[in-house]
Amino acid sequence: MITPAYVQTMARYNTWQNRNIYESATHLGDADRKAHRGAFFGSIHATLNHILWADQMWLWRFNAANRPAPKTIIDGLSQFESWDDLKAARISFDAKIEAWSTTLSESQLLGDLSWISGGTGQNMTTPRWLTIVHIFNHQTHHRGQVHALLTSSGIKPGLTDLPFGDVV
């Protein structure tokens, strides 16, 4: 079981790491960010769009945000074509995630969450706390892919280890 304090810490970690990755990716030109690099979603830009879209979908499922306009994972990859628009949306949504995290009580982490999965097309039900852990794990997983793509481009993002951030 997790606690509201855990969710708040992970929300702050998410903001810190998104700032790290986006600042690093700014050193690339638009064509380089959108170049297919063999990643699961192809490019840095598409992967960052995916992370944001997934965060929006998850918070929508928790009744904490509006549903994003793109309805599918594939459509979410191009939700924001402009780098500036993507960055602005990311900053805004990170603030929303942090605000949501401060509203959670122990009781809101209990019970199950049910939804129709865009990835499987199936009805899913999981414990609410496990789904919240998944949100943060999903972000970290795909940010790690972007980190590797940036590193292979000669850009060295900042620290990523949780104990080294001002998130506690």
Side-chain angles (χ1 to χ4, degrees):
M1 173 55 92
I2 61 173
T3 65
Y6 167 84
V7 179
Q8 292 162 20
T9 298
M10 294 309 296
R12 288 188 300 272
Y13 177 76
N14 170 65
T15 298
W16 174 47
Q17 285 308 300
N18 282 333
R19 191 172 27 245
N20 178 20
I21 289 295
Y22 277 74
E23 286 174 5
S24 297
T26 297
H27 296 290
L28 294 174
D30 201 49
D32 286 334
R33 281 190 301 272
K34 291 180 178 178
H36 193 286
R37 297 174 178 273
F40 189 77
F41 292 113
S43 70
I44 291 168
H45 193 92
T47 302
L48 292 173
N49 257 314
H50 171 72
I51 298 168
L52 176 58
W53 177 84
D55 288 351
Q56 293 168 331
M57 285 297 291
W58 282 115
L59 260 62
W60 171 67
R61 290 171 180 146
F62 277 97
N63 297 314
N66 293 326
R67 184 176 182 153
K71 302 295 187 232
T72 68
I73 292 171
I74 297 300
D75 291 341
L77 299 178
S78 59
Q79 179 174 205
F80 295 98
E81 286 295 326
S82 157
W83 177 243
D84 289 338
D85 291 346
L86 178 56
K87 284 192 309 185
R90 180 75 263 177
I91 290 167
S92 175
F93 208 75
D94 285 346
K96 185 177 287 289
I97 292 171
E98 285 198 45
W100 167 73
S101 76
T102 66
T103 69
L104 294 175
S105 66
E106 293 277 347
S107 64
Q108 290 173 299
L109 301 174
L110 302 174
D112 292 333
L113 178 71
S114 297
W115 77 97
I116 299 173
S117 168
T120 68
Q122 298 177 347
N123 289 322
M124 304 290 295
T125 300
T126 60
R128 292 174 73 82
W129 71 267
L130 182 63
T131 307
I132 293 170
V133 169
H134 169 73
I135 293 168
F136 296 113
N137 187 65
H138 179 265
Q139 296 165 344
T140 300
H141 165 70
H142 287 300
R143 267 194 312 263
Q145 292 172 330
V146 173
H147 189 285
L149 296 173
L150 289 168
T151 301
S152 70
S153 298
I155 296 171
K156 184 179 179 190
L159 294 173
T160 60
D161 295 336
L162 186 57
F164 302 130
D166 187 19
V167 298
V168 179

